[in-house]
Amino acid sequence: LYTTTTATSKTKIPFRVDIPKPIMHLTCKHVMVMSFCEGVRIDDLDYIREEKLDPIAIMDGIAQTFAYMMYVSDIFNADPHPGNILIRAGIEDGLRKGEDGGFTLSILDWGLAKRLPTTKRIAFCQMVHASATFDFGL
């Protein structure tokens, strides 16, 4: 995945999204245990400055991630707040930390995950598109 620093920028910044995996032998009906994800809270501005990460690219990456979950996938994390989104510099596909401005987002706490049936997902897409294009059918 790639993000850009501005809407008109041609600079592509790579990013990756990690979703913790359930550890089934520790999971039961009332408790879900998932794998550990490295990173700091998305609102740790000192870390973002220290690692020279682009805040606009990070926000674009978060928007792309949640848009994908809601418009393309059939499941999304319905609890996106700074404590549930971690960031770390670099991505794990051979690019070295800090050289490319790339970053990895980890989306935590899937206890409030929702599945949208295809008909509802398409209707939601149409509603968002209508509001974005001011097509209110008036």
Side-chain angles (χ1 to χ4, degrees), residues 68-69 72-76 114-117 121:
Y68 182 87
M69 281 190 280
V72 179
S73 175
D74 72 336
I75 189 168
F76 66 97
K114 299 292 180 192
R115 287 192 181 274
L116 286 178
R121 185 174 44 81

Side-chain angles (χ1 to χ4, degrees), residues 19-95:
I19 307 295
K21 293 165 185 54
I23 302 173
M24 298 311 288
H25 71 278
L26 298 175
T27 298
C28 66
K29 183 178 179 179
H30 301 289
V31 177
M32 180 170 54
V33 178
M34 300 182 89
S35 60
F36 181 78
C37 292
E38 293 282 342
V40 300
R41 284 173 52 120
I42 197 71
D43 58 356
D44 187 337
L45 300 179
D46 291 335
Y47 176 84
I48 291 169
R49 280 191 287 273
E50 214 172 82
E51 295 295 331
K52 297 178 176 57
L53 298 174
D54 185 325
I56 294 171
I58 293 167
M59 290 306 299
D60 184 64
I62 292 169
Q64 284 187 50
T65 299
F66 279 88
Y68 182 87
M69 281 190 280
M70 294 178 73
Y71 303 132
V72 179
S73 175
D74 72 336
I75 189 168
F76 66 97
N77 183 309
D79 195 15
H81 62 78
N84 284 346
I85 305 172
L86 301 182
I87 187 166
R88 68 180 178 274
I91 58 175
E92 298 166 3
D93 70 353
L95 298 173

Side-chain angles (χ1 to χ4, degrees), residues 111-124:
L112 190 57
K114 299 292 180 192
R115 287 192 181 274
L116 286 178
T118 301
T119 54
K120 285 189 180 181
R121 185 174 44 81
I122 291 170
F124 185 71

